[in-house]
Protein backbone atom coordinates (compact mmCIF):
# COMPACT_ATOMS: atom_id res chain seq x y z
CA UNK A 1 0.00 0.00 0.00
CA UNK A 2 1.13 3.56 -0.54
CA UNK A 3 2.97 5.27 2.28
CA UNK A 4 1.79 8.55 3.83
CA UNK A 5 3.65 10.64 1.24
CA UNK A 6 2.16 9.04 -1.88
CA UNK A 7 -1.00 10.37 -3.49
CA UNK A 8 -3.78 7.82 -3.88
CA UNK A 9 -4.40 7.97 -7.61
CA UNK A 10 -6.74 5.75 -9.66
CA UNK A 11 -3.68 4.04 -11.10
CA UNK A 12 -2.32 3.32 -7.62
CA UNK A 13 -5.62 1.76 -6.57
CA UNK A 14 -5.74 -0.39 -9.72
CA UNK A 15 -2.15 -1.55 -9.19
CA UNK A 16 -3.03 -2.68 -5.66
CA UNK A 17 -6.21 -4.40 -6.86
CA UNK A 18 -4.16 -6.37 -9.40
CA UNK A 19 -1.45 -7.14 -6.85
CA UNK A 20 -4.04 -8.49 -4.41
CA UNK A 21 -5.46 -10.87 -7.01
CA UNK A 22 -8.96 -9.39 -6.86
CA UNK A 23 -11.40 -11.08 -9.25
CA UNK A 24 -14.61 -9.16 -8.50
CA UNK A 25 -15.44 -5.74 -7.06
CA UNK A 26 -18.87 -5.17 -5.54
CA UNK A 27 -19.62 -1.62 -6.54
CA UNK A 28 -22.20 1.03 -5.69
CA UNK A 29 -21.36 3.67 -8.32
CA UNK A 30 -21.09 7.29 -7.27
CA UNK A 31 -19.80 10.44 -8.93
CA UNK A 32 -16.80 10.86 -6.59
CA UNK A 33 -15.14 7.62 -7.65
CA UNK A 34 -16.14 7.49 -11.30
CA UNK A 35 -12.43 7.73 -12.20
CA UNK A 36 -11.80 4.39 -10.50
CA UNK A 37 -14.95 2.81 -11.94
CA UNK A 38 -13.80 3.58 -15.49
CA UNK A 39 -10.40 1.96 -14.88
CA UNK A 40 -11.94 -1.12 -13.27
CA UNK A 41 -14.48 -1.47 -16.06
CA UNK A 42 -11.66 -1.55 -18.63
CA UNK A 43 -9.56 -4.07 -16.65
CA UNK A 44 -9.54 -7.56 -18.22
CA UNK A 45 -10.23 -10.32 -15.72
CA UNK A 46 -12.00 -8.03 -13.24
CA UNK A 47 -15.77 -8.35 -12.86
CA UNK A 48 -17.78 -5.46 -11.47
CA UNK A 49 -20.88 -6.45 -9.56
CA UNK A 50 -23.35 -3.61 -9.14
CA UNK A 51 -25.26 -3.39 -5.89
CA UNK A 52 -27.82 -1.29 -4.11
CA UNK A 53 -27.03 0.50 -0.87
CA UNK A 54 -27.03 -1.95 2.01
CA UNK A 55 -26.54 -5.06 -0.12
CA UNK A 56 -22.86 -4.83 -1.08
CA UNK A 57 -21.43 -6.53 2.03
CA UNK A 58 -23.67 -9.57 1.70
CA UNK A 59 -22.87 -9.89 -2.02
CA UNK A 60 -19.13 -9.64 -1.34
CA UNK A 61 -19.49 -12.20 1.45
CA UNK A 62 -21.19 -14.70 -0.83
CA UNK A 63 -18.48 -14.22 -3.45
CA UNK A 64 -15.96 -14.95 -0.70
CA UNK A 65 -17.72 -18.22 0.09
CA UNK A 66 -17.13 -19.09 -3.57
CA UNK A 67 -13.42 -18.35 -3.05
CA UNK A 68 -13.47 -15.11 -5.01
CA UNK A 69 -11.51 -12.07 -3.86
CA UNK A 70 -14.19 -9.39 -3.82
CA UNK A 71 -13.66 -6.15 -1.93
CA UNK A 72 -16.59 -3.84 -1.26
CA UNK A 73 -15.35 -0.23 -1.53
CA UNK A 74 -18.52 1.42 -0.22
CA UNK A 75 -18.89 5.12 -0.56
CA UNK A 76 -18.83 7.20 2.60
CA UNK A 77 -22.22 8.80 3.09
CA UNK A 78 -21.21 10.95 5.99
Amino acid sequence: MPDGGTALSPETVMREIRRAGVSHVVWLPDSETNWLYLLMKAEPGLSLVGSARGHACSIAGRLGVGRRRAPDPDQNTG
Side-chain angles (χ1 to χ4, degrees):
M1 295 300 284
D3 62 24
T6 305
L8 189 60
S9 69
E11 294 78 17
T12 301
V13 173
M14 277 306 305
R15 184 174 59 246
E16 294 300 320
I17 286 173
R18 281 187 215 104
R19 192 167 69 93
V22 170
S23 60
H24 295 71
V25 175
V26 181
W27 193 255
L28 175 61
D30 67 276
S31 60
E32 293 294 318
T33 56
N34 189 54
W35 47 265
L36 180 57
Y37 172 78
L38 294 174
L39 284 177
M40 289 190 301
K41 187 175 173 184
E43 181 69 22
L46 183 64
S47 296
L48 294 177
V49 180
S51 76
R53 188 179 307 246
H55 294 232
C57 284
S58 59
I59 294 169
R62 294 301 288 169
L63 284 164
V65 168
R67 298 190 188 270
R68 302 288 185 231
R69 297 192 68 138
D72 167 23
D74 278 342
Q75 61 179 292
N76 181 355
T77 58

Short mmCIF file of all heavy atoms in Angstrom, two decimals, residues 3 5 8 23 25-26 28 34-35 37-38 53 57 59-62 70-71 75 77-78:
data_model
loop_
_atom_site.label_atom_id
_atom_site.label_comp_id
_atom_site.label_asym_id
_atom_site.label_seq_id
_atom_site.Cartn_x
_atom_site.Cartn_y
_atom_site.Cartn_z
N ASP A 3 2.63 4.69 0.98
CA ASP A 3 2.97 5.27 2.28
C ASP A 3 2.28 6.62 2.42
O ASP A 3 1.60 7.08 1.51
CB ASP A 3 4.49 5.40 2.43
CG ASP A 3 5.12 6.31 1.40
OD1 ASP A 3 4.41 7.19 0.86
OD2 ASP A 3 6.31 6.16 1.13
N GLY A 5 3.25 9.58 2.14
CA GLY A 5 3.65 10.64 1.24
C GLY A 5 3.23 10.43 -0.20
O GLY A 5 3.51 11.24 -1.06
N LEU A 8 -2.97 8.99 -3.53
CA LEU A 8 -3.78 7.82 -3.88
C LEU A 8 -4.48 8.12 -5.20
O LEU A 8 -5.54 8.71 -5.24
CB LEU A 8 -4.78 7.52 -2.77
CG LEU A 8 -5.54 6.22 -2.89
CD1 LEU A 8 -4.58 5.05 -2.89
CD2 LEU A 8 -6.52 6.08 -1.75
N SER A 23 -10.71 -10.60 -8.06
CA SER A 23 -11.40 -11.08 -9.25
C SER A 23 -12.71 -10.33 -9.49
O SER A 23 -13.16 -10.21 -10.63
CB SER A 23 -11.71 -12.57 -9.12
OG SER A 23 -12.53 -12.81 -7.99
N VAL A 25 -15.27 -6.89 -7.95
CA VAL A 25 -15.44 -5.74 -7.06
C VAL A 25 -16.93 -5.47 -6.98
O VAL A 25 -17.60 -5.28 -8.00
CB VAL A 25 -14.70 -4.49 -7.57
CG1 VAL A 25 -15.00 -3.29 -6.68
CG2 VAL A 25 -13.20 -4.73 -7.64
N VAL A 26 -17.47 -5.49 -5.77
CA VAL A 26 -18.87 -5.17 -5.54
C VAL A 26 -18.93 -3.65 -5.45
O VAL A 26 -18.26 -3.04 -4.64
CB VAL A 26 -19.41 -5.84 -4.26
CG1 VAL A 26 -20.87 -5.50 -4.09
CG2 VAL A 26 -19.21 -7.35 -4.34
N LEU A 28 -21.06 0.12 -5.69
CA LEU A 28 -22.20 1.03 -5.69
C LEU A 28 -21.69 2.32 -6.33
O LEU A 28 -20.98 3.09 -5.69
CB LEU A 28 -22.69 1.28 -4.27
CG LEU A 28 -23.80 2.31 -4.10
CD1 LEU A 28 -25.04 1.88 -4.87
CD2 LEU A 28 -24.12 2.49 -2.63
N ASN A 34 -15.96 7.89 -9.91
CA ASN A 34 -16.14 7.49 -11.30
C ASN A 34 -14.82 7.20 -11.98
O ASN A 34 -14.72 6.30 -12.81
CB ASN A 34 -16.92 8.55 -12.07
CG ASN A 34 -17.31 8.07 -13.44
OD1 ASN A 34 -17.93 7.02 -13.58
ND2 ASN A 34 -16.93 8.82 -14.45
N TRP A 35 -13.76 7.93 -11.63
CA TRP A 35 -12.43 7.73 -12.20
C TRP A 35 -11.96 6.30 -11.97
O TRP A 35 -11.40 5.68 -12.85
CB TRP A 35 -11.42 8.71 -11.61
CG TRP A 35 -11.50 8.83 -10.12
CD1 TRP A 35 -12.21 9.76 -9.42
CD2 TRP A 35 -10.87 8.00 -9.15
NE1 TRP A 35 -12.06 9.55 -8.06
CE2 TRP A 35 -11.24 8.47 -7.86
CE3 TRP A 35 -10.02 6.90 -9.23
CZ2 TRP A 35 -10.79 7.90 -6.69
CZ3 TRP A 35 -9.58 6.31 -8.04
CH2 TRP A 35 -9.96 6.82 -6.80
N TYR A 37 -13.99 3.68 -11.25
CA TYR A 37 -14.95 2.81 -11.94
C TYR A 37 -14.55 2.61 -13.40
O TYR A 37 -14.56 1.48 -13.90
CB TYR A 37 -16.36 3.42 -11.85
CG TYR A 37 -17.38 2.70 -12.69
CD1 TYR A 37 -17.93 1.49 -12.26
CD2 TYR A 37 -17.78 3.20 -13.92
CE1 TYR A 37 -18.86 0.82 -13.04
CE2 TYR A 37 -18.71 2.54 -14.69
CZ TYR A 37 -19.25 1.36 -14.25
OH TYR A 37 -20.16 0.69 -15.01
N LEU A 38 -14.17 3.67 -14.08
CA LEU A 38 -13.80 3.58 -15.49
C LEU A 38 -12.56 2.70 -15.69
O LEU A 38 -12.51 1.91 -16.63
CB LEU A 38 -13.57 4.97 -16.08
CG LEU A 38 -14.82 5.85 -16.16
CD1 LEU A 38 -14.45 7.25 -16.61
CD2 LEU A 38 -15.89 5.24 -17.04
N ARG A 53 -27.50 0.15 -2.22
CA ARG A 53 -27.03 0.50 -0.87
C ARG A 53 -27.55 -0.52 0.14
O ARG A 53 -28.72 -0.90 0.12
CB ARG A 53 -27.55 1.89 -0.50
CG ARG A 53 -26.97 2.44 0.75
CD ARG A 53 -27.51 3.82 1.01
NE ARG A 53 -27.32 4.65 -0.16
CZ ARG A 53 -26.52 5.70 -0.21
NH1 ARG A 53 -25.85 6.05 0.86
NH2 ARG A 53 -26.40 6.40 -1.31
N CYS A 57 -22.18 -5.64 1.12
CA CYS A 57 -21.43 -6.53 2.03
C CYS A 57 -21.89 -7.97 1.91
O CYS A 57 -21.07 -8.89 1.89
CB CYS A 57 -21.57 -6.06 3.47
SG CYS A 57 -20.56 -4.61 3.84
N ILE A 59 -23.29 -9.38 -0.71
CA ILE A 59 -22.87 -9.89 -2.02
C ILE A 59 -21.39 -10.26 -1.98
O ILE A 59 -21.00 -11.33 -2.43
CB ILE A 59 -23.16 -8.85 -3.12
CG1 ILE A 59 -24.67 -8.66 -3.29
CG2 ILE A 59 -22.53 -9.29 -4.45
CD1 ILE A 59 -25.04 -7.48 -4.16
N ALA A 60 -20.57 -9.37 -1.44
CA ALA A 60 -19.13 -9.64 -1.34
C ALA A 60 -18.87 -10.87 -0.47
O ALA A 60 -17.99 -11.69 -0.79
CB ALA A 60 -18.39 -8.43 -0.77
N GLY A 61 -19.63 -11.03 0.58
CA GLY A 61 -19.49 -12.20 1.45
C GLY A 61 -19.79 -13.49 0.73
O GLY A 61 -19.08 -14.49 0.87
N ARG A 62 -20.84 -13.49 -0.07
CA ARG A 62 -21.19 -14.70 -0.83
C ARG A 62 -20.14 -15.02 -1.88
O ARG A 62 -19.83 -16.18 -2.13
CB ARG A 62 -22.57 -14.55 -1.48
CG ARG A 62 -23.71 -14.47 -0.48
CD ARG A 62 -23.80 -15.67 0.39
NE ARG A 62 -24.29 -16.81 -0.36
CZ ARG A 62 -24.29 -18.05 0.06
NH1 ARG A 62 -23.81 -18.33 1.26
NH2 ARG A 62 -24.75 -19.01 -0.68
N ALA A 70 -13.23 -10.42 -3.43
CA ALA A 70 -14.19 -9.39 -3.82
C ALA A 70 -14.30 -8.31 -2.76
O ALA A 70 -15.12 -8.41 -1.85
CB ALA A 70 -15.55 -10.04 -4.06
N PRO A 71 -13.51 -7.25 -2.87
CA PRO A 71 -13.66 -6.15 -1.93
C PRO A 71 -14.97 -5.39 -2.19
O PRO A 71 -15.56 -5.48 -3.26
CB PRO A 71 -12.45 -5.27 -2.21
CG PRO A 71 -12.11 -5.55 -3.63
CD PRO A 71 -12.48 -6.99 -3.85
N GLN A 75 -19.05 3.69 -0.68
CA GLN A 75 -18.89 5.12 -0.56
C GLN A 75 -19.18 5.55 0.87
O GLN A 75 -19.89 4.87 1.61
CB GLN A 75 -19.82 5.83 -1.53
CG GLN A 75 -21.30 5.54 -1.28
CD GLN A 75 -22.19 6.27 -2.24
OE1 GLN A 75 -22.29 7.48 -2.20
NE2 GLN A 75 -22.84 5.53 -3.13
N THR A 77 -21.07 7.92 3.17
CA THR A 77 -22.22 8.80 3.09
C THR A 77 -22.30 9.76 4.27
O THR A 77 -23.33 10.35 4.54
CB THR A 77 -23.53 7.99 3.00
OG1 THR A 77 -23.62 7.13 4.13
CG2 THR A 77 -23.57 7.18 1.72
N GLY A 78 -21.21 9.92 4.97
CA GLY A 78 -21.21 10.95 5.99
C GLY A 78 -20.92 10.44 7.34
O GLY A 78 -20.83 11.04 8.31
#
